[in-house]
Amino acid sequence: MRDEVVRSDLTVVGGGLAGVCAAIAAARLGRSVALVTNRPVLGGNSSSEVRVWVCGATGHGIQRYARETGIMGELFVENQYRNPDGNPYYWDLVLLDAVRAEHNIRTFLNTDVRELAAHGPEDDRRIDSVTGWMMGSERRIRFDSPMFVDCTGDGLVGFLAGARHRVGREARSEYGEPWAPETADDITLGSTILFYTKDAGHPVKFVPPSFAKDIASTSIPERRIIKSGDNGCAYWWIEFGGELDTVHDNERIRDELWSVIYGIWDHIKNSGRFDADTMTLEWVGAVPGKREYRRFVGDHTLTQHDILEQTPFEDRIGFGGWSIDLHPPGGVYAAEAGSKHWHPNGTYHIPLRCLYSVNVSNLWFAGRDISASHVAFGSTRVMATCALTGEAAGSGAALAVERGVTPRSLARDHLTELQQTMLRQDAALLGVPNRDPADLARQATVTCSGALTRLVIETPAERVPMDTDLALLLPVDPVIGSVELLVDGLGDGTELAADLFDTGHPQNCVPARRVAEARVRVAPGDKQWLRLPLPWRPDTPQNAFLVIRKNPHLALYGSGTSEPGVLCFRRVTVAREFDQPILDWRPDQAHRSWCFRMSPRTEAYGPGKAVGGYARPYAGPQLWASDPLGEEQWLQLTWPAPVTPRQVRLVFDDDVNDDLINLHHHRTPYDVPPTLVRDFRVEALVSDRWRPLVRCTDNRARHRVLSLAAPPATSALRIVVESTHGSRRAHIVSVRVYE
């Protein structure tokens, strides 16, 4: 046995997506990081050991413009390119490569933290070190740091340190949450083990083990959907242990889940009810994917109200959007449905105060164990949201170490600095604009070769009957006067009726308050452009939701093209227990837009959108969109006096409205988002001539940080876009310049 000591600025315990993103975030901010995990691979529940899909704020496409950016976004986009088949082992490699690319990170796999040294009274504890045992290597390693991040999921580090925490469900009276039980209890969400199948191409028998469950004697075949071709997360409902202790009863839970899996497979193979003669088991998990255990207490506890009301926290450091998704305590044996969902009408904010301990002064946490009620946890627990909290905790810890302050002091005295630091790294914050005083781009005059100013989609693909309400989401910047629609009149004369709504919150894409309406008579005939007067000038740029009312005597035309910030919807009727407006409007996947013309001209895509604003859609698309790329397009920054640019940071458009997923619950049909800029160069104006500083080809990243060696003094820079991965326009979300 060997004893070792590892000293670093930050120790991150837990190698799931929260831990990975925390470590990378801190390392990129110049801090030395020890990343410690008790598993042989990174990724936690998303790894090849467990194989849960990485879900997040998109809610499988229910939320619009909601895919995570920042480090989690990088991982999504890179996996899309490397791993088109959703291979779980390739996903492991994406994560390992991302961590190994950061020279400030030392990674300790197979290292189980079992001991912790701390001091101080109960209400003011401080961690001195944690100690882990590296399995297979007989190395006992002590990790010393001024800051620690608990990303263990189960909250082991905080527990050993004496951090205040909760397990189970709060009483309804505590936070007034409608979905909380009347009386508090220790019930949690259960654990799941998944399995993979394949077609062997020849008959394969299955002899069940003695412990396989006879599921015909249970309610499982009646209450759950079983298909011979399904595998992986299609069987998320194989859940058990919510009424047990999901940590201390882990072995018992695993054994029960195995008995259910082999019982289901026996049912598929041997009941005679399925076409499964040539099917065989390819993989069965050995590690239960835990959903819930300890939740730490921070300076704020996120609640059901915060999620559904989309509370606009000043100290926001990330967002979520997954539904409040709670499962019955009985899991696979429950008589009720395997889950129930309550969707917010858009993404919601997560505050910094949920990510540090109320009583341990140098403890951050991220992932499943953040400060949230059991009900709110039903949304924050999904892994892409956990990853965002990891990036925020890692960024906060790095800045706290640099400033020599506690997490609480950072939240109180350095909040703006943290938010601006995170935005500079392209982290996923909503509604916080770039106010970085060091960013020279904010002082520049911004011009361009050309920009999208006339919002028009005129090329019809097919006629669409108006058998339900249809809708368009449109950016209004600064005003809307009218919208023309391409319509067929199918009868002897009828009326086209439309209502214009705001969306309530800047990030939402649902109708909220009606601001204008129009009614127009329609004569019989095909392909008529009809003008709807819909005057609205909001105080600030916003999205408008145009509802085109159902009329069986009319038809619109769909188009195979669209523009950024424009979406088309159709109203759907779905039986539900209570009102969830976002579920009433389904994006029309067969068309990219309805044919329309909007007047007057728009400023929503002007060159100034790339400087000093938002780095993702928020009350509009928030990007520069060029003229069509028949020739090179450019964005130019001009200063009144020469500057010496040493770093240029570019954010391109990776279309965060598209729902990417690591193991491909669905397959988005491209390897690289078509909206991303592919080939570009940065030029400086020197002695009245444009001098190339750097040229990049085959780019597939959203965020590019370009360091310029021996840069010249210049009064102007321009980014010249030569090509994209398919989009007919160049899209630049953000440009930053630093001396």
Side-chain angles (χ1 to χ4, degrees), residues 87 286-287 306 310 393 434 457 611 648 650:
N87 187 320
V287 179
D306 292 329
Q310 299 170 271
N434 172 13
I457 296 175
V611 175
V648 176
L650 301 174

Side-chain angles (χ1 to χ4, degrees), residues 562-739:
S562 189
E563 299 289 3
V566 175
L567 298 175
C568 67
F569 299 85
R570 60 175 57 245
R571 185 190 286 275
V572 296
T573 302
V574 179
R576 56 183 65 99
E577 183 181 347
F578 48 88
D579 188 36
Q580 299 184 67
I582 197 167
L583 299 182
D584 294 336
W585 296 97
R586 181 171 298 164
D588 193 292
Q589 303 297 343
H591 309 94
R592 299 191 64 195
S593 176
W594 314 127
C595 291
F596 75 97
R597 300 168 178 159
M598 191 175 91
S599 297
R601 292 178 179 271
T602 180
E603 298 175 12
Y605 309 92
K609 296 295 183 182
V611 175
Y614 304 111
R616 56 180 298 125
Y618 186 77
Q622 302 298 340
L623 51 77
W624 168 61
S626 75
D627 282 342
L629 274 163
E631 56 186 38
E632 294 178 344
Q633 299 290 330
W634 49 262
L635 188 72
Q636 181 172 322
L637 282 64
T638 305
W639 292 273
V643 300
T644 306
R646 298 188 181 280
Q647 186 185 84
V648 176
R649 289 177 174 256
L650 301 174
V651 176
F652 299 121
D653 178 20
D654 61 346
D655 192 1
V656 295
N657 190 51
D658 269 356
D659 183 25
L660 303 184
I661 196 164
N662 67 321
L663 302 183
H664 299 328
H665 158 275
H666 54 272
R667 176 70 170 98
T668 307
Y670 52 70
D671 287 350
V672 181
T675 50
L676 275 177
V677 167
R678 178 172 182 164
D679 302 325
F680 68 94
R681 62 185 187 271
V682 178
E683 301 176 335
L685 188 63
V686 181
S687 301
D688 296 325
R689 297 186 64 180
W690 287 105
R691 171 182 161 187
L693 300 181
V694 62
R695 182 171 183 264
C696 299
T697 60
D698 293 322
N699 170 66
R700 63 174 190 268
R702 167 186 163 92
H703 186 206
R704 292 299 301 264
V705 181
L706 306 174
S707 297
L708 306 179
T714 181
S715 61
L717 282 180
R718 70 180 183 183
I719 297 91
V720 182
V721 178
E722 301 170 5
S723 66
T724 70
H725 283 275
S727 172
R728 68 193 185 106
R729 301 182 189 275
H731 298 172
I732 296 181
V733 173
S734 174
V735 180
R736 291 170 178 252
V737 180
Y738 296 92
E739 285 190 307

Side-chain angles (χ1 to χ4, degrees), residues 198-356:
K198 69 176 182 180
D199 190 331
H202 57 81
V204 179
K205 66 181 177 182
F206 176 66
V207 179
S210 60
F211 57 82
K213 183 77 65 176
D214 177 11
I215 68 165
S217 65
T218 73
S219 63
I220 293 174
E222 300 173 6
R223 303 291 184 180
R224 302 293 184 260
I225 298 174
I226 299 174
K227 295 180 180 179
S228 61
D230 283 349
N231 59 47
C233 273
Y235 285 101
W236 58 267
W237 48 263
I238 300 179
E239 179 178 356
F240 182 72
E243 297 170 305
L244 302 176
D245 186 313
T246 55
V247 166
H248 297 108
D249 293 325
N250 186 61
E251 300 294 292
R252 175 183 171 187
I253 292 168
R254 180 207 59 210
D255 289 348
E256 186 69 20
L257 291 170
W258 271 346
S259 75
V260 172
I261 286 172
Y262 290 113
I264 288 174
W265 190 241
D266 181 34
H267 182 64
I268 290 172
K269 289 289 292 182
N270 299 324
S271 68
R273 300 180 185 179
F274 301 89
D275 181 14
D277 286 350
T278 60
M279 299 294 292
T280 189
L281 281 177
E282 181 180 24
W283 170 87
V284 177
V287 179
K290 294 177 189 171
R291 287 182 174 86
E292 180 180 8
Y293 199 54
R294 301 181 185 96
R295 303 185 312 279
F296 291 118
V297 178
D299 277 347
H300 180 81
T301 299
L302 198 74
T303 68
Q304 177 176 350
H305 304 294
D306 292 329
I307 290 175
L308 297 181
E309 296 168 14
Q310 299 170 271
T311 304
F313 298 108
E314 287 296 320
D315 61 334
R316 66 190 74 169
I317 44 71
F319 63 82
W322 189 261
S323 63
I324 297 174
D325 175 8
L326 299 180
H327 300 185
V332 72
Y333 301 120
E336 60 264 50
S339 63
K340 62 178 183 177
H341 301 261
W342 197 334
H343 299 81
N345 278 330
T347 49
Y348 59 86
H349 305 286
I350 299 173
L352 178 64
R353 288 165 294 150
C354 290
L355 305 188
Y356 60 84

Side-chain angles (χ1 to χ4, degrees), residues 364-375:
W364 297 81
F365 26 79
R368 290 193 286 118
D369 55 13
I370 70 169
S371 182
S373 71
H374 168 81
V375 176

Side-chain angles (χ1 to χ4, degrees), residues 104-187:
N104 284 329
I105 300 176
R106 296 177 64 186
T107 306
F108 299 84
L109 302 176
N110 294 309
T111 304
D112 192 30
V113 168
R114 303 176 182 180
E115 305 170 42
L116 181 144
H119 67 275
E122 181 181 343
D123 60 351
D124 188 19
R125 301 281 288 164
R126 182 175 180 84
I127 302 172
D128 300 314
S129 67
V130 297
T131 300
W133 174 264
M134 184 176 281
M135 293 172 283
S137 300
E138 294 190 0
R139 295 164 63 190
R140 185 173 179 268
I141 309 172
R142 193 184 79 212
F143 298 93
D144 293 348
S145 299
M147 289 281 171
F148 295 82
V149 188
D150 187 333
C151 300
T152 62
D154 294 334
L156 177 62
V157 172
F159 172 74
L160 293 175
R164 293 177 191 159
H165 62 276
R166 306 286 295 264
V167 177
R169 308 186 295 187
E170 295 89 350
R172 186 173 304 168
S173 59
E174 184 162 352
Y175 299 115
E177 297 171 306
W179 269 16
E182 289 289 347
T183 304
D185 56 39
D186 58 2
I187 286 173

